[in-house]
C-alpha cells in the first residue's frame, strides 16, 4: 500500500485508485509532469490556477536562491517586514484603483478568513452574505461562506452569521439587502465561480453588486483567488467590468507554483485599527513567500504585460477549439464556459444521451466527469480535473505559458474522448482501469436507439422492484459494449463501479392487465453483486437496500419487491420492517407457484408420470425450498429434502420442521376431500393414523416425524446430496449458494431439473455431459399485453421473473401490504397468487435454461433418450 493511502488519506487514496487518478508524479517541468515510469503528461489543471508558469519556473527558483545567497531572514514577526512591504506596494500598484492596504496570509482560505474579519471589524455587523454554488475555502469561516451543503454538513457549517443567495442575480441581492442590510457586514462573491463549474455572471453583474452594496452600506469582497493574477487575460477578472471592490482576496498564482501565499487587498476606508492590531499570523508575510510574489508580478508585468495579452489570445484559441467539438457532439457537451485560460466543459448529466449504458448512470450520478478526467489522463496523457461543486464540468486551466501546439493537443484529445462517449463504448471508455484497449480495427459500440420515456399516470398502481447484478453477465445484459471484456476485467471493473455508485433506476414500465387496469413501476438497481451483499455485515446491507427503497418511495412506489439477494440478506425482508415506509414483498409466493407448475409441466412433457417419480428439493430448509416441497409433495411418489451440509444439525432440524408441515398439509388436503394416487407420498400421509393432535407442541411433532421417517416413509431428510440426488427423477433447486451444486455425475438417467436459484445452482457442464437430462429455469413469466420492461433482464420482450410478476400483480390489485416475507410462506398467499395470475393474465413463459430460450431440439433429444432407456 502506498504510504499516502496508509498514513495520509485512505478514503481519498482508495477513490483515486478506483477511478484511475492514482498517478505518482516524480518530476515536473513547464507544462509537463512525469510519473514514476517516465511517462509524460500535459498538465491542464495547474493546481487549480496555482501554477501560472508551470512546474519549477527558473525565475521563481532564482528569487529563492537569491534570498538564500543574501541570507535574508524569513520569519521575523513583529518587525517592519521588508519583502512583505515591497510586495504589498507592487500588489496595490497592479490592483484596480482605490485599494490601499494588504494583509498577507498563508493560503486562499486564510485570506478569506482575514477578509471576513476585516469586514466585521469595520461594520460591527456579523452576517456574511455569499452565493450558492460558490467556493471560498475549507476553513470554518470560508466553508460557511461556501455555497455547497455537501462540503459543510459534516463540519457543522455554516456557522451562524452566513446567508446565501443565487449567483449572478442582482435582483436577489437587492431583495436581500432591503431586508437584511442592517445586519450584513459584507457580500463575498467570485467574479467567475471556479469550483462552481466555471460559471460567469451576466455582463455588468459585478458593477451592480458594487453599487447595490455601497447604497446599503455593505462591503463588497471579490474572491479572485482562482480568477486573479492573469488567469482570465487581465491581472484581475474584475478589471474587465471596471469595478473596484472594498476588499479583494488573492492567492494560488501569487506563490508562483512553489510556495503557498495569500493576500487581502482593501481600501483605506475598509481598514481599521482593531483589525490592524489584533489580526496577525506567525508565517504570513514571510520573506520567502514575499520574494516569490514579487517574482510572480515581475513575470506578469514584463514587456508591458505581454503574457496577459497572450493569455487572452491563447484562451480564445482554446475556447474556439473546444466549441467546435461541442458543436459536433451536442448530445454529450452542453456548453463551453469561461474566459482566458479559465475554461470549463459542461457535460450532459442526464441518462438521455447514453441509453442502455453505464455511462448514463455515471452521468446521472455525477460520476461521469471524474471518469472523463481519468480517461484523458491515462489514455491521452492530458491532465484535467472536475470542478468540486459543478459536478458536470471539467476544468481546463493550464499554466499561462501553454503553447499553441499543446492547445491543439488538448482539443484533439477532448474530441477523441467525446467521440468515444458519443458511441456509448463503455468498455473502451473505462478499459484503461482494467488493462483493456479495443483493437484499432475493431468497431466501437454503435449508438443504440433512444429509450421511450414512460411517465406515471394518476390511475396507475405504483410499484418498484429491486434488482442487482447477481453475476457478471448482468453487466453485459445492461451494457452490451462490456461483452468485449474478459471475465477478470469485468470483475475488476464491477468492484470499482459498485463501490462508487448509488442505487439507480434501471428502467421503468407500465403493465396493463386483461381488464385494462394499469400499474407503473421502476426497476431499481442496488449496485452490489450477490457475493458483495453476502459479505457485508447486516447493518451495511440494510443501509444499501434501504437507500434503494427510499429512491423507490421518492418516485412514488407503494409496494416494493425485493429481488434476488436483497431478500436473502434481509431474512426475506423481515429485517427491513422497522425501517421501511412502504409495503414489501419478496415475490416468493408466485415464484413457488410458477416454479412447481413449470417443473411438473416439463416432467410430463418428457414422459414422466408424477405419481411414480421421486422428487427432490435442494435447499428445502429455506423459505422457497420449503414451499416448493409442500406443493411438490401433493404430486410425487417420494420426496427427498436436501439441506445445507455446512450446518448439518441446524439444517436437519429445519427440514424436520418441513417434514412435519408436509405431513400436516397432506392430511388437511385429505380431510378437504383430496384424493391421492395409491402409493404416493400424499396417500402415505393420509393413511397415518397415529399422528399427534394438530395443536400438539412442535417438539412432539418433531419426535413423531423422526419416527415416521425412520420407519421407511417415502420422505427423506438429508444433507448428503451425493448420496441422494442420483435417486431423484425431478429436482427443484432453490438455495442462496453462489456455487454450482448440481453437477453431471449427481444426476439420474433422464432426470428433469428445475433451477430456481440466481446465480444458477446447476453447472453448465450438465448441458455438454448429460444430454439425457433436461434443465429448465424456474419462475419465468409471460406478462399480459407483452409490455416492454425497458431492460430485457436477459429475457424476451414481455417476460419477467415470477417475483417481479407478483409485485406487479399486487400493484394492479392495489394490495399495498406486506406479503411473502420471512422464512414461512403462507399457503393462502400461494393460492392467492395462483388465483391472481389466472385472473390478470400472467402465465408461464416459454421454457428457458441457463437464462437462454430452450432449444426445441433439446426436448426431442431428452424424449428420445428416455424412450431408449425405457426400452
Amino acid at each position: 500500500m502506498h504510504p499516502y493511502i496508509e498514513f495520509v488519506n485512505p478514503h481519498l487514496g482508495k477513490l483515486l485508485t478506483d477511478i484511475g487518478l492514482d498517478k505518482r508524479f516524480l518530476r515536473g517541468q513547464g507544462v509537463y509532469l512525469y510519473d514514476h515510469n517516465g511517462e509524460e503528461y500535459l498538465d491542464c489543471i495547474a493546481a487549480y490556477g496555482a501554477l501560472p508558469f508551470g512546474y519549477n519556473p527558473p525565475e521563481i527558483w532564482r528569487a529563492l536562491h537569491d534570498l538564500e545567497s543574501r541570507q535574508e531572514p524569513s520569519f521575523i514577526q513583529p518587525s517592519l517586514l521588508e519583502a512583505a512591504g515591497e510586495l504589498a506596494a507592487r500588489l496595490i500598484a497592479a490592483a484596480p484603483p482605490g485599494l490601499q492596504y494588504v494583509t498577507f496570509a498563508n493560503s486562499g482560505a486564510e485570506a478569506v478568513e482575514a477578509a471576513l474579519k476585516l469586514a466585521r471589524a469595520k461594520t460591527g455587523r456579523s452576517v456574511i452574505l455569499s452565493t450558492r454554488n460558490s467556493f471560498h475555502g475549507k476553513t470554518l469561516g470560508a466553508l460557511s461562506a461556501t455555497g455547497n451543503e455537501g462540503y459543510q454538513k459534516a463540519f457543522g457549517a455554516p456557522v451562524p452569521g452566513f446567508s446565501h443567495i443565487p449567483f449572478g442575480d442582482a435582483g436577489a441581492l437587492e431583495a436581500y439587502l432591503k431586508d437584511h442590510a442592517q445586519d450584513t457586514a459584507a457580500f463575498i462573491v467570485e467574479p467567475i465561480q471556479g469550483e462552481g463549474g466555471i460559471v460567469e455572471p451576466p455582463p455588468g453583474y459585478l458593477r451592480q453588486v458594487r453599487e447595490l452594496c455601497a447604497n446599503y452600506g455593505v462591503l463588497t469582497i471579490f474572491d479572485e483567488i482562482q480568477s486573479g493574477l492573469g488567469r482570465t487575460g487581465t491581472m484581475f477578472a474584475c478589471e474587465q467590468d471596471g469595478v473596484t471592490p472594498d476588499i479583494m482576496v488573492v492567492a494560488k498564482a501569487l506563490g508562483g507554483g512553489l510556495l503557498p501565499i495569500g493576500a487581502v487587498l482593501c481600501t483605506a476606508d475598509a481598514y481599521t485599527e482593531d483589525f490592524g492590531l489584533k489580526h496577525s499570523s506567525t508565517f504570513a508575510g514571510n520573506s520567502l513567500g514575499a520574494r516569490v510574489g514579487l517574482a510572480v508580478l515581475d513575470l506578469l508585468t514584463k514587456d508591458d504585460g505581454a503574457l496577459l495579452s497572450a493569455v487572452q489570445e491563447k484562451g480564445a484559441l482554446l475556447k474556439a477549439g473546444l466549441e467546435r467539438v461541442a458543436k459536433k457532439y451536442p448530445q454529450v457537451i452542453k456548453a463551453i464556459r469561461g474566459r482566458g485560460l479559465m475554461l470549463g466543459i459542461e457535460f450532459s448529466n442526464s441518462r438521455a444521451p447514453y441509453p442502455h449504458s453505464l455511462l448514463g448512470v455515471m452521468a446521472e450520478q455525477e460520476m461521469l466527469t471524474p471518469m472523463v478526467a481519468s480517461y484523458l489522463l491515462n489514455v491521452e496523457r492530458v491532465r484535467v480535473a472536475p470542478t468540486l461543486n459543478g459536478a458536470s464540468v471539467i476544468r481546463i486551466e493550464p499554466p499561462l505559458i501553454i503553447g499553441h501546439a499543446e492547445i491543439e493537443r488538448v482539443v484533439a484529445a477532448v474530441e477523441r474522448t467525446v467521440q468515444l462517449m458519443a458511441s456509448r463504448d463503455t468498455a473502451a471508455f473505462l478499459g484503461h482501469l482494467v488493462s483493456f484497449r479495443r483493437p484499432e480495427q475493431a468497431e466501437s459500440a454503435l449508438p443504440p436507439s433512444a429509450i421511450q420515456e414512460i411517465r406515471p399516470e394518476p390511475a396507475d398502481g405504483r410499484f418498484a422492484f429491486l434488482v442487482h447484478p447477481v453475476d457478471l453477465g448482468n453487466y453485459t445484459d445492461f451494457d452490451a459494449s462490456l461483452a468485449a471484456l474478459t471475465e477478470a476485467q469485468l470483475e475488476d471493473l464491477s468492484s470499482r463501479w459498485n463501490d462508487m455508485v448509488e442505487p439507480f433506476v434501471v428502467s421503468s414500465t407500465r403493465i396493463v392487465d386483461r381488464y385494462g387496469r394499469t400499474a407503473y413501476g421502476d426497476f431499481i438497481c442496488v449496485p452490489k453483486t450477490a457475493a458483495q451483499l453476502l459479505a457485508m455485515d447486516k447493518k451495511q446491507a440494510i443501509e444499501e437496500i434501504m437507500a434503494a427503497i427510499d429512491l423507490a418511495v421518492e418516485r412514488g412506489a407503494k409496494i416494493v419487491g425485493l429481488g434476488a439477494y436483497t431478500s436473502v440478506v434481509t431474512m426475506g425482508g423481515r429485517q427491513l420492517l422497522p425501517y421501511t415506509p412502504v409495503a414489501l414483498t419478496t415475490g416468493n409466493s408466485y415464484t413457488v407457484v410458477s416454479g412447481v407448475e413449470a417443473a411438473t409441466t416439463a416432467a410430463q412433457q418428457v414422459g414422466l408420470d408424477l405419481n411414480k417419480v421421486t422428487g427432490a428439493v435442494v435447499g428445502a430448509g429455506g423459505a422457497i425450498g420449503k414451499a416448493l416441497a409442500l406443493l411438490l409433495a401433493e404430486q410425487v411418489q417420494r420426496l427427498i429434502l436436501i439441506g445445507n451440509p455446512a450446518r448439518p444439525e441446524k439444517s436437519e432440524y429445519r427440514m424436520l420442521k418441513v417434514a412435519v408441515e408436509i405431513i400436516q398439509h397432506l392430511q388437511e388436503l385429505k380431510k378437504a376431500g383430496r384424493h391421492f394416487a395409491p402409493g404416493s407420498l400424499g396417500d402415505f400421509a393420509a393413511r397415518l393414523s397415529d399422528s399427534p393432535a394438530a395443536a400438539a407442541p412442535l417438539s412432539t411433532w418433531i419426535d413423531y416425524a423422526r419416527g415416521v421417517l425412520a420407519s421407511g416413509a417415502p420422505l427423506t431428510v438429508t444433507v448428503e446430496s451425493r448420496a441422494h440426488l442420483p435417486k431423484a427423477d425431478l429436482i427443484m433447486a432453490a438455495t442462496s449458494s453462489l456455487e454450482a451444486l448440481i453437477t453431471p455425475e449427481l444426476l439420474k438417467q433422464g432426470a428433469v431439473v428445475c433451477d430456481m436459484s440466481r446465480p444458477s445452482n446447476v453447472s453448465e457442464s450438465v448441458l455438454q455431459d448429460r444430454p439425457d437430462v433436461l434443465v429448465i429455469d424456474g419462475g419465468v413469466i409471460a406478462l399480459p399485453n407483452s409490455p416492454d420492461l425497458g431492460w430485457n433482464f436477459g429475457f424476451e420482450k414481455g417476460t419477467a421473473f415470477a417475483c417481479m410478476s407478483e409485485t406487479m400483480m399486487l400493484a394492479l390489485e392495489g394490495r399495498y401490504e406486506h406479503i411473502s416475507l420471512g422464512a414461512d410462506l403462507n399457503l393462502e398467499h400461494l393460492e392467492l397468487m395462483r388465483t391472481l395470475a389466472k385472473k390478470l393474465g400472467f402465465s408461464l413463459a416459454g421454457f428457458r435454461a441457463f437464462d437462454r430460450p430452450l432449444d426445441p431440439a433439446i426436448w426431442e433429444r431428452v424424449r428420445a433418450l428416455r424412450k431408449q432407456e425405457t426400452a
Side-chain angles (χ1 to χ4, degrees):
M1 186 180 294
H2 192 277
Y4 179 87
I5 299 176
E6 189 171 4
F7 299 112
V8 180
N9 193 329
H11 307 289
L12 179 60
K14 182 181 185 305
L15 176 61
L16 292 175
T17 301
D18 284 346
I19 64 177
L21 296 180
D22 55 334
K23 295 295 180 187
R24 291 180 284 154
F25 296 113
L26 303 185
R27 185 167 69 90
Q29 184 176 357
V31 295
Y32 291 100
L33 281 167
Y34 301 85
D35 68 13
H36 67 290
N37 293 319
E39 291 281 355
E40 180 184 83
Y41 300 82
L42 173 60
D43 183 53
C44 289
I45 302 175
Y48 315 116
L51 294 162
F53 318 115
Y55 293 93
N56 294 303
E59 298 88 348
I60 306 300
W61 274 115
R62 190 176 304 121
L64 291 174
H65 291 314
D66 288 347
L67 179 144
E68 178 190 25
S69 67
R70 294 191 303 271
Q71 291 292 287
E72 186 174 345
S74 188
F75 305 121
I76 45 176
Q77 299 275 25
S79 66
L80 298 180
L81 306 179
E82 191 73 20
E86 292 180 36
L87 177 58
R90 291 285 302 278
L91 281 170
I92 292 301
L99 298 173
Q100 179 66 37
Y101 298 117
V102 179
T103 300
F104 288 106
N106 300 296
S107 69
E110 283 190 32
V112 169
E113 296 285 350
L116 302 185
K117 290 170 65 179
L118 183 63
R120 285 178 167 177
K122 170 62 181 176
T123 63
R125 307 174 201 143
S126 61
V127 176
I128 302 295
L129 178 64
S130 60
T131 63
R132 294 176 196 146
N133 207 40
S134 60
F135 184 84
H136 299 289
K138 292 183 179 177
T139 52
L140 194 55
L143 183 61
S144 295
T146 291
N148 187 314
E149 187 182 49
Y151 291 100
Q152 296 172 329
K153 194 171 182 181
F155 307 105
V159 296
F162 288 84
S163 293
H164 302 84
I165 60 172
F167 177 70
D169 187 343
L173 175 61
E174 184 171 17
Y176 176 89
L177 292 175
K178 280 181 180 178
D179 294 332
H180 304 289
Q182 68 277 10
D183 302 317
T184 304
F187 176 47
I188 182 170
V189 64
E190 300 158 277
I192 300 174
Q193 285 190 332
E195 301 300 340
I198 316 296
V199 181
E200 293 187 86
Y205 173 68
L206 293 183
R207 180 171 292 281
Q208 290 175 293
V209 165
R210 183 72 180 89
E211 291 171 356
L212 284 169
C213 288
N215 289 342
Y216 283 94
V218 172
L219 298 178
T220 52
I221 304 173
F222 287 173
D223 182 343
E224 291 257 17
I225 290 170
Q226 194 165 155
S227 60
L229 297 172
R231 176 58 49 186
T232 65
T234 54
M235 188 67 78
F236 301 99
C238 64
E239 289 180 46
Q240 296 168 35
D241 286 72
V243 182
T244 300
D246 297 293
I247 303 169
M248 183 169 70
V249 289
V250 296
K252 292 193 184 296
L254 191 59
L258 291 183
L259 287 174
I261 180 174
V264 182
L265 287 67
C266 69
T267 63
D269 186 60
Y271 201 80
T272 66
E273 183 178 357
D274 264 353
F275 179 82
L277 295 179
K278 295 177 181 177
H279 176 85
S280 64
S281 167
T282 299
F283 299 118
N286 67 78
S287 300
L288 276 79
R291 293 300 175 196
V292 163
L294 285 164
V296 168
L297 292 178
D298 285 342
L299 289 173
L300 290 175
T301 57
K302 183 180 178 182
D303 298 329
D304 294 325
L307 180 59
L308 301 181
S309 299
V311 168
Q312 293 181 32
E313 181 263 327
K314 290 184 287 190
L317 183 66
L318 177 56
K319 188 172 185 179
L322 296 174
E323 285 174 336
R324 286 195 301 273
V325 178
K327 186 175 181 181
K328 194 171 180 180
Y329 299 100
Q331 74 277 32
V332 177
I333 298 178
K334 290 178 67 175
I336 305 297
R337 304 206 292 239
R339 64 181 105 129
L341 291 175
M342 186 177 180
L343 301 177
I345 306 174
E346 182 185 8
F347 288 85
S348 173
N349 61 355
S350 77
R351 190 88 67 94
Y354 313 103
H356 300 296
S357 171
L358 294 186
L359 295 178
V361 179
M362 287 189 287
E364 189 174 66
Q365 297 203 9
E366 300 183 341
M367 290 170 49
L368 190 58
T369 50
M371 296 316 306
V372 170
S374 177
Y375 182 86
L376 282 166
L377 178 69
N378 288 279
V379 179
E380 298 290 348
R381 300 292 192 264
V382 172
R383 190 167 180 254
V384 300
T387 53
L388 294 181
N389 295 359
S392 61
V393 176
I394 283 288
R395 75 175 89 227
I396 307 288
E397 293 186 51
L400 305 184
I401 61 169
I402 190 172
H404 289 76
E406 286 89 4
I407 287 173
E408 291 177 6
R409 175 178 169 182
V410 171
V411 173
V414 169
E415 180 163 7
R416 284 190 292 269
T417 305
V418 171
Q419 189 279 328
L420 194 62
M421 295 165 67
S423 71
R424 286 79 162 177
D425 193 344
T426 310
F429 182 64
L430 302 181
H432 62 276
L433 298 175
V434 294
S435 303
F436 168 79
R437 189 155 191 172
R438 193 177 294 281
E440 293 295 332
Q441 66 273 19
E443 292 185 6
S444 292
L446 295 175
S449 57
I451 298 173
Q452 183 178 1
E453 188 174 3
I454 300 172
R455 296 183 181 276
E457 300 291 343
D460 290 339
R462 295 299 299 273
F463 72 93
F465 191 84
L466 306 191
V467 298
H468 69 89
V470 176
D471 55 38
L472 296 176
N474 292 146
Y475 289 97
T476 56
D477 289 341
F478 179 66
D479 188 328
S481 77
L482 299 178
L485 303 181
T486 66
E487 185 172 332
Q489 289 169 335
L490 193 54
E491 186 169 4
D492 185 357
L493 185 62
S494 72
S495 67
R496 297 167 187 260
W497 162 269
N498 291 346
D499 282 343
M500 292 186 289
V501 74
E502 297 175 354
F504 60 91
V505 178
V506 177
S507 61
S508 302
T509 192
R510 176 171 286 104
I511 307 299
V512 183
D513 69 15
R514 60 172 43 157
Y515 301 103
R517 296 179 305 174
T518 58
Y520 172 93
D522 296 315
F523 295 97
I524 296 176
C525 181
V526 177
K528 293 289 181 287
T529 63
Q532 286 174 319
L533 284 173
L534 288 174
M536 288 179 182
D537 64 62
K538 290 293 183 186
K539 183 175 182 289
Q540 185 184 2
I542 287 172
E543 287 174 354
E544 292 277 349
I545 294 163
M546 279 306 305
I549 291 174
D550 289 343
L551 176 59
V553 172
E554 179 186 323
R555 292 178 58 86
K558 296 181 180 178
I559 186 167
V560 176
L562 304 174
Y565 283 72
T566 65
S567 171
V568 173
V569 300
T570 59
M571 302 299 289
R574 287 205 173 275
Q575 292 183 334
L576 298 172
L577 294 181
Y579 313 103
T580 180
V582 70
L584 299 178
T585 178
T586 61
N588 285 345
S589 293
Y590 191 48
T591 296
V592 168
V593 168
S594 62
V596 171
E597 183 183 354
T600 54
T601 301
Q604 290 169 333
Q605 288 190 16
V606 298
L608 285 174
D609 181 351
L610 293 175
N611 292 323
K612 297 179 180 179
V613 305
T614 296
V617 177
V618 181
I624 293 177
K626 183 180 77 170
L628 290 171
L630 285 171
L631 297 189
L632 204 57
E634 299 175 12
Q635 304 188 58
V636 297
Q637 185 179 47
R638 300 181 61 86
L639 185 60
I640 304 168
L641 307 181
I642 301 175
N644 185 355
R647 294 178 291 179
E649 291 184 7
K650 184 176 181 180
S651 185
E652 181 189 17
Y653 181 75
R654 291 175 68 175
M655 288 189 297
L656 282 170
K657 288 170 63 179
V658 176
V660 167
E661 290 191 45
I662 288 173
I663 293 169
Q664 292 174 334
H665 173 57
L666 294 174
Q667 289 180 340
E668 287 297 321
L669 289 177
K670 177 66 175 179
K671 290 178 184 177
R674 175 77 174 268
H675 295 286
F676 296 103
S680 67
L681 175 55
D683 182 54
F684 171 83
R687 292 177 182 274
L688 292 172
S689 58
D690 57 346
S691 303
L698 178 60
S699 58
T700 301
W701 271 100
I702 292 288
D703 289 340
Y704 176 74
R706 277 199 177 99
V708 169
L709 297 180
S711 67
L715 181 61
T716 301
V717 168
T718 183
V719 295
E720 299 292 338
S721 58
R722 287 194 165 273
H724 292 273
L725 262 186
K727 303 173 185 177
D729 305 290
L730 175 59
I731 300 167
M732 300 199 73
T735 83
S736 58
S737 172
L738 302 178
E739 299 178 15
L741 304 175
I742 301 175
T743 50
E745 73 278 6
L746 298 181
L747 296 172
K748 183 179 181 180
Q749 181 76 23
V752 173
V753 184
C754 180
D755 190 359
M756 309 290 292
S757 305
R758 295 295 183 275
S760 176
N761 283 164
V762 182
S763 168
E764 287 211 38
S765 60
V766 173
L767 281 175
Q768 288 75 39
D769 299 344
R770 293 300 301 272
D772 58 302
V773 169
L774 177 68
V775 179
I776 64 168
D777 296 338
V780 184
I781 303 300
L783 306 176
N785 294 297
S786 193
D788 185 350
L789 300 187
W791 177 31
N792 64 13
F793 299 93
F795 294 162
E796 292 75 27
K797 179 175 176 288
T799 58
F801 285 118
C803 49
M804 297 174 180
S805 303
E806 177 170 327
T807 313
M808 296 169 186
M809 287 190 278
L810 293 170
L812 286 165
E813 286 285 295
R815 295 184 69 120
Y816 301 126
E817 57 193 80
H818 298 312
I819 289 182
S820 304
L821 301 186
D824 295 312
L825 295 179
N826 189 307
L827 286 170
E828 291 181 7
H829 287 160
L830 297 179
E831 188 54 39
L832 169 66
M833 299 320 302
R834 192 197 312 270
T835 303
L836 285 182
K838 291 179 181 177
K839 171 186 173 183
L840 303 179
F842 290 74
S843 61
L844 282 182
F847 288 99
R848 301 173 65 85
F850 300 101
D851 292 325
R852 296 183 291 273
L854 194 60
D855 189 340
I858 293 178
W859 287 100
E860 296 305 321
R861 184 187 70 201
V862 171
R863 288 192 191 101
L865 290 173
R866 279 194 60 78
K867 288 179 181 178
Q868 181 180 333
E869 178 67 17
T870 302

